Amino acid sequence: MSRESRPDGHPWRTYVVASSPGWIVAGVVTGVLYRTTDLSALPAVLFLSAWIATDLAMYPRMRRYYTSEPAAARIVGEMGTAVSPLAPRGFARVHGELWQVIVTDPIGSLPLGAAVRVCEIHGLELVVEPI
């Protein structure tokens, strides 16, 4: 699958890069303990391996935090409030953000404070319907 066709980008690569500082710190601490104490090599290697294996085992649960999602998928279906009369264009607040909107039903207008639901997104304009 090509890079452009993958909707999630590279979550595995991002997870490994985000986890690597912890692995480096664990390696440095293990190395210091190995050099300054009577810690033998086997427990040191096992500790570092267990640390890295735990991080890698957590990837399936953490993947959603490293996967990007298109704006349309996050906002379509959400509800908002008209902050200006919608006749048929105007402004509405959705998720605390002010959006330029157009109403799907151009026959009537919606008053200030009307509840709307997002149907589609076209660039920076939302297509909404009255609730």
Side-chain angles (χ1 to χ4, degrees):
M1 184 176 260
S2 72
R3 183 178 186 180
E4 291 78 23
S5 64
R6 290 182 60 191
D8 59 353
H10 299 285
W12 172 251
R13 189 179 308 162
T14 304
Y15 182 75
V16 169
V17 168
S19 299
S20 61
W23 301 344
I24 292 169
V25 169
V28 169
V29 169
T30 303
V32 168
L33 288 175
Y34 176 73
R35 297 236 180 227
T36 59
T37 65
D38 292 334
L39 183 67
S40 65
L42 182 61
V45 169
L46 289 176
F47 169 75
L48 188 56
S49 299
W51 186 287
I52 293 171
T54 302
D55 277 354
L56 295 177
M58 288 300 296
Y59 174 72
R61 289 186 171 262
M62 301 296 290
R63 179 186 172 112
R64 68 180 169 161
Y65 299 111
Y66 293 90
T67 303
S68 62
E69 182 180 22
R74 290 190 306 265
I75 203 161
V76 171
E78 295 296 320
M79 296 188 212
T81 306
V83 295
S84 71
L86 306 179
R89 284 188 152 75
F91 292 91
R93 190 166 302 279
V94 179
H95 279 285
E97 296 178 345
L98 191 61
W99 288 87
Q100 185 173 358
V101 299
I102 183 168
V103 182
T104 56
D105 182 14
I107 296 171
S109 65
L110 296 176
L112 173 76
V116 294
R117 178 176 297 127
V118 179
C119 301
E120 299 175 47
I121 183 169
H122 295 287
L124 296 176
E125 184 175 58
L126 302 179
V127 178
V128 298
E129 64 184 5
I131 298 179

